[in-house]
């Protein structure tokens, strides 16, 4: 799971959450808690923009003092980002993944669109076509 450290600072009467690994990604709120509540959605927008530009997603850095690790707002969004990274790492084009899965390239495009609702079974099939397995882990909250 991709977990990016944030930094938070006060800016006048609001608090701003920034992601050092994603320079153009930020959000704000009236309080620290409010700002951090919006952080997963901001992270999703930032990663989605990079995926649309067809560039590598940055590797999450180490959290600094006071940082919170922020993940994407859903398991499906996280799996889509991981699928995108796996395709790039394996140098597999979308058309090749579509061929391996026996589907149209447009369907692969939707699988990689974080904002499109995809079924987890479709993502499992995509990972299987890359000789990978999608694993969901449940843990107790801290």
């Amino acid at each position: 799971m991709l977990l990016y450290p944030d930094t938070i600072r006060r800016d006048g009467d609001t608090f701003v959450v920034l992601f050092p690994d994603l320079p153009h990604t930020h959000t704000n709120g009236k309080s620290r808690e409010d700002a951090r509540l919006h952080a997963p959605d901001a992270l999703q927008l930032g990663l989605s923009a990079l995926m649309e530009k067809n560039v590598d997603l940055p590797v999450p850095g180490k959290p600094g003092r006071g940082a919170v690790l922020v993940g994407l707002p859903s398991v499906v969004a996280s799996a889509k980002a991981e699928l995108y990274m796996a395709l790039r790492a394996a140098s597999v084009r979308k058309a090749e993944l579509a061929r391996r899965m026996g589907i149209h390239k447009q369907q692969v495009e939707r699988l990689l669109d974080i904002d499109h609702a995809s079924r987890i079974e479709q993502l499992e099939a995509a990972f299987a076509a890359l000789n990978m397995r999608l694993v969901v882990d449940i843990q107790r909250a801290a």
Side-chain angles (χ1 to χ4, degrees), residues 13-114:
D13 61 347
T14 63
F15 289 85
V16 178
V17 173
L18 305 164
F19 294 93
D21 303 311
L22 299 158
H24 301 291
T25 302
H26 60 279
T27 190
N28 63 356
K30 295 178 182 180
S31 66
R32 286 181 182 277
E33 297 77 22
D34 184 42
R36 285 203 162 124
L37 184 65
H38 300 292
D41 291 328
L43 179 62
Q44 179 171 319
L45 287 171
L47 293 177
S48 181
L50 294 175
M51 291 167 65
E52 286 176 15
K53 292 179 183 176
N54 203 30
V55 298
D56 288 335
L57 300 182
V59 175
K62 299 226 186 252
R65 185 175 172 191
V68 170
L69 293 175
V70 179
L72 290 165
S74 74
V75 171
V76 171
S78 183
K80 287 179 177 233
E82 294 283 357
L83 177 61
Y84 175 82
M85 290 176 32
L87 280 174
R88 292 186 63 82
S91 297
V92 173
R93 295 185 181 274
K94 295 172 189 174
E96 173 59 19
L97 180 61
R99 186 193 65 73
R100 291 180 188 184
M101 294 177 68
I103 62 176
H104 295 283
K105 183 181 174 215
Q106 186 178 26
Q107 291 172 284
V108 171
E109 295 279 354
R110 288 192 296 261
L111 272 180
L112 294 171
D113 180 352
I114 288 182

